[in-house]
Amino acid sequence: MEHKFIATSFNVFDKVRLEGEHTDVIINVNGKEFKAHKIILCGCSPYFRALFSTRWTKVEKHDIQGISSDTMSLIIQYAYAGAVQISEENVLELLVAADQFLVSDLVDACCKFLESILCLQNCIGICMFTKHFYSCSNLHHNAKLYTLQHFGEVQQVSEEFLELSLEHLREMIGQDELNVKKEEVVFEAILRWINHSPENRREHIAELLPKVRQRQFIMLMSIVRMGLMSPEYFMSNVRNNALLLENEACSDILVSAMKAIFDLHMEGTTVLDQLTRPRLPSEILLAIGGWSTGNPSNAIEAYDTRADCWVDVTQEDERPRAYSGTAFLNEFVYIIGGFDGESYFNSVRKFDTILYTWHEVAPMYERRCYVSVAVLDGLIYAMGGFNGHVRLRTTECYDPNTNQWTMLVPMNERRSDASATSLEGRVYICGGFTGMECLFTAESFNPETSQWTLIAPMNSRRSGVGVITYGNLVYAVGGYDGASRLESAEAYNPLSDSWHDIESMINPRSNFGIEVMDDQLFVVGGFNGLGTSSTVEYYDQMTNEWDEACDMSISRSAVSCCILSGLPDVTQYVVDRDSLQISEDES
């Protein structure tokens, strides 16, 4: 009733204002006059309270400069009604005015609106616009982070990128946080920026490339990290680039870059300098727990894809467990079920990836070892597994908003050692073990109908399989067919309800971690038929090829993986960039 009374009162105040009753101030903006009540404006804005702080006369008149009458009308409307219609057309001027008049709630509303429309085309403009607004610091940070994390796409489609000043361009591409899979993207973005206004910008090419000292090629500044380019690209596209050849200041840069590239690609070369300083990844692959040296492990390693190395981020208060499920949701990593060599768990713990703290959450209804886990629409699904007595058909889902698990209809098959993923509003689970046989069957769950439906069976029986969504397909990789560990992999197309084989892995493996990062499918660890493995390899959908990545520091099977994304700071999960550099004393 209190809220209703306040809303009614302010509606009356606004009506009285519009009819000019009892007003005691006139705001003049570009010749347009607004009659209002001082007390209402003072309640909305400290600016007006200060403006009216002198002895109040019966009616005052104030001229306001630097604002349009339409925007002033919105400010006064907000003071009376507590709401205005914010649009792409008025939001920038309205934000400036709200900041000028210290209307903090309206500033927040404008910032939320701008964040809601943040996209590839406008992120640079929003970042630049909010740079000097203290009240918009959070929006500025998010717009900057969005720009850096989506740089490859931004520089291709954004007109704002082409209009950047030299200073702002240098600042942007010099950031470690600039998310580019290949440094070639940065070089080509610079060329695109220069070619947008070649008469004015050609002379700046040397300023956008690294400046090096004569002694030992120690860099004073890192812009384009040409040492990270492939030798083929550098020789074909950089060394003979016309813009570089016509600028004498670039000759030393090219010589140093060439040396850095070929030193880096020589086997056994480990020393890095600023020309080869890896940028920070926007996503982190975590490998959690598993079975190692005959015991369950609490080890957590983070894969730094840009530096191609693993970093130990083990949390000492995390208990060892294997055959658990893992999910990343709302900045938390959830560890679900599992086995520690003695007990089968129904417990669930979550790790705060920002504060680095562990928390117990509601346990599952069932104890689940060899559990399959998937995330869909903000819910975590836990399916099948082994409770220490029988293989399970049961499924349940967890809502982090209510901290509650809900039992769902059971699957068509009992499945432990299966694997699950989500795609286009459905959960898919494939393969597994019934306690008697390895399965080639697969099924999907539709939350709207709350039904499980068998889909086309896989081409191979697969227990200990890895299942993941990659593009618009569901991939089933490796596993155990009852006779041997598999290298083979296949992909499912939901539109045709059919499976097709893809290129086989380099190494056979079962019970391994699987995730997609940087638009590549990674498989981590596992059991190869002889022992646990530390090997890591990745598959590229475009080339249909597998390649090897850096091994984990420990061998383990039954490891579970997840991808951390959208973190405000990834430095705790990557190798220290400064530790990779040559110091001046060492040169």
Side-chain angles (χ1 to χ4, degrees):
M1 288 190 66
E2 180 182 358
H3 291 158
K4 184 177 180 181
F5 173 78
I6 293 173
T8 301
S9 299
F10 274 87
N11 285 335
V12 172
F13 295 156
D14 198 30
K15 183 178 180 182
V16 169
R17 173 184 69 87
L18 293 173
E19 294 176 355
E21 296 181 14
H22 311 298
T23 57
D24 55 1
V25 67
I26 298 173
I27 304 296
N28 180 39
V29 178
N30 299 329
K32 185 171 182 178
E33 293 185 345
F34 299 90
K35 293 182 178 181
H37 304 90
K38 295 177 186 175
I39 194 67
I40 298 295
L41 297 183
C42 287
C44 167
S45 162
Y47 174 94
F48 287 115
R49 186 174 181 182
L51 185 66
F52 305 147
S53 62
T54 57
R55 184 175 60 86
W56 287 16
T57 58
K58 191 169 185 180
V59 176
E60 293 183 15
K61 186 173 182 178
H62 294 272
D63 292 331
I64 303 292
Q65 304 295 328
I67 184 175
S68 72
S69 57
D70 288 342
T71 300
M72 191 70 243
S73 177
L74 291 174
I75 294 290
I76 293 176
Q77 179 186 337
Y78 186 82
Y80 279 83
V84 291
Q85 187 69 38
I86 302 175
S87 67
E88 292 187 46
E89 290 71 29
N90 68 25
V91 63
L92 298 183
E93 188 174 350
L94 186 58
L95 175 55
V96 172
D99 184 72
Q100 175 185 341
F101 297 133
L102 305 176
V103 188
S104 58
D105 288 345
L106 185 54
V107 169
D108 292 343
C110 290
C111 288
K112 288 179 181 177
F113 178 85
L114 285 171
E115 188 152 5
S116 73
I117 63 170
L118 194 65
C119 65
L120 300 174
Q121 289 78 11
N122 66 21
C123 56
I124 292 177
I126 292 175
C127 181
M128 296 300 173
F129 182 79
T130 56
K131 187 173 184 178
H132 302 294
F133 284 87
Y134 175 77
S135 53
C136 301
S137 58
N138 190 56
L139 172 61
H140 172 73
H141 172 79
N142 291 340
K144 179 180 179 180
L145 189 63
Y146 183 96
T147 302
L148 294 174
Q149 291 190 344
H150 297 85
F151 177 78
E153 301 157 285
V154 169
Q155 57 91 20
Q156 287 185 325
V157 303
S158 171
E159 290 295 322
E160 296 172 343
F161 172 78
L162 299 176
E163 299 300 331
L164 281 171
S165 68
L166 173 63
E167 178 186 358
H168 286 139
L169 178 61
R170 288 180 60 178
E171 179 185 359
M172 179 183 297
I173 64 179
Q175 299 285 314
D176 279 349
E177 293 81 3
L178 193 74
N179 181 35
V180 285
K181 193 173 177 181
K182 296 181 178 179
E183 197 66 19
E184 289 89 328
V185 172
V186 183
F187 179 71
E188 291 173 4
I190 289 174
L191 296 183
R192 186 175 292 109
W193 179 85
I194 289 174
N195 290 330
H196 181 66
S197 181
E199 298 80 9
N200 301 320
R201 295 175 175 176
R202 289 169 74 92
E203 64 189 59
H204 295 311
I205 184 68
E207 298 179 56
L208 292 166
L209 297 173
K211 293 183 179 179
V212 296
R213 303 175 74 170
Q214 295 297 321
R215 188 168 68 91
Q216 294 287 336
F217 62 85
I218 300 296
M219 290 181 49
L220 296 176
M221 185 188 332
S222 174
I223 304 296
V224 182
R225 302 173 188 189
M226 289 188 289
L228 299 176
M229 294 178 178
S230 71
E232 297 79 14
Y233 181 89
F234 181 85
M235 299 300 289
S236 300
N237 298 280
V238 181
R239 189 185 66 165
N240 297 318
N241 181 272
L243 283 174
L244 300 179
L245 291 175
E246 71 183 31
N247 194 312
E248 293 183 6
C250 293
S251 59
D252 288 343
I253 296 171
L254 293 177
V255 170
S256 296
M258 193 180 308
K259 178 173 174 53
I261 288 173
F262 287 98
D263 280 353
L264 186 65
H265 286 79
M266 287 177 59
E267 188 172 352
T269 299
T270 57
V271 177
L272 302 180
D273 67 12
Q274 291 280 23
L275 281 168
T276 52
R277 179 185 176 97
R279 296 189 187 270
L280 292 171
S282 62
E283 297 179 318
I284 302 294
L285 171 62
L286 285 191
I288 302 172
W291 204 267
S292 180
T293 62
N295 294 291
S297 172
N298 71 339
I300 304 177
E301 291 184 82
Y303 179 58
D304 181 346
T305 181
R306 298 289 182 260
D308 188 29
C309 66
W310 289 86
V311 179
D312 184 5
V313 293
T314 303
Q315 300 293 311
E316 294 303 325
D317 55 346
E318 170 58 2
R319 298 187 293 269
R321 65 173 74 189
Y323 301 105
S324 58
T326 302
F328 177 67
L329 187 62
N330 301 330
E331 299 177 347
F332 289 97
V333 173
Y334 291 81
I335 312 296
I336 300 157
F339 178 61
D340 68 356
E342 296 181 357
S343 302
Y344 298 87
F345 298 125
N346 66 340
S347 61
V348 180
R349 302 190 80 202
K350 70 177 183 180
F351 176 66
D352 188 319
T353 56
I354 297 176
L355 300 178
Y356 313 108
T357 54
W358 284 100
H359 309 272
E360 292 283 345
V361 301
M364 295 181 290
Y365 286 94
E366 297 263 21
R367 299 179 184 274
R368 299 181 189 273
C369 172
Y370 316 114
V371 62
S372 301
V373 170
V375 175
L376 177 63
D377 295 333
L379 301 177
I380 299 174
Y381 289 77
M383 298 151 279
F386 180 63
N387 64 8
H389 303 285
V390 295
R391 315 286 162 167
L392 302 172
R393 291 174 55 208
T394 58
T395 63
E396 49 190 303
C397 75
Y398 175 76
D399 186 341
N401 296 318
T402 61
N403 189 32
Q404 289 185 339
W405 287 89
T406 302
M407 293 299 295
L408 305 174
V409 295
M411 297 180 289
N412 291 285
E413 299 259 22
R414 297 181 183 274
R415 302 177 190 271
S416 70
D417 293 281
S419 187
T421 188
S422 62
L423 174 64
E424 297 294 338
R426 297 198 176 199
V427 173
Y428 291 85
I429 188 168
C430 306
F433 183 58
T434 65
M436 298 291 292
E437 63 176 344
C438 299
L439 295 169
F440 56 84
T441 61
E443 48 191 303
S444 69
F445 177 73
N446 185 344
E448 293 185 357
T449 62
S450 192
Q451 289 185 333
W452 285 96
T453 304
L454 286 168
I455 61 175
M458 296 180 292
N459 297 324
S460 299
R461 296 180 183 273
R462 299 180 187 274
S463 175
V465 62
V467 173
I468 197 71
T469 297
Y470 183 19
N472 56 358
L473 302 176
V474 173
Y475 285 73
V477 182
Y480 177 65
D481 64 2
S484 59
R485 267 68 195 179
L486 304 174
E487 301 169 357
S488 65
E490 50 190 300
Y492 173 75
N493 187 338
L495 298 179
S496 61
D497 188 30
S498 62
W499 293 86
H500 64 270
D501 291 334
I502 65 167
E503 183 66 22
S504 294
M505 292 185 290
I506 300 169
N507 303 293
R509 65 184 80 217
S510 65
N511 298 103
F512 53 92
I514 185 169
E515 274 296 348
V516 169
M517 179 175 63
D518 269 351
D519 200 31
Q520 293 171 322
L521 188 159
F522 284 79
V523 293
V524 179
F527 187 75
N528 60 20
L530 298 175
T532 57
S533 172
S534 62
T535 64
V536 179
E537 52 188 295
Y538 59 91
Y539 172 77
D540 191 310
Q541 192 177 52
M542 297 296 294
T543 62
N544 190 34
E545 293 178 346
W546 290 87
D547 202 353
E548 293 180 313
C550 178
D551 290 355
M552 290 186 293
S553 61
I554 61 173
S555 296
R556 44 181 163 162
S557 66
V559 60
S560 188
C561 288
C562 68
I563 298 293
L564 309 186
S565 60
L567 298 183
D569 181 12
V570 300
T571 55
Q572 294 292 330
Y573 300 94
V574 299
V575 64
D576 179 12
R577 265 47 185 169
D578 292 330
S579 71
L580 295 173
Q581 311 308 307
I582 302 177
S583 71
E584 186 171 354
D585 293 337
E586 295 171 326
S587 59

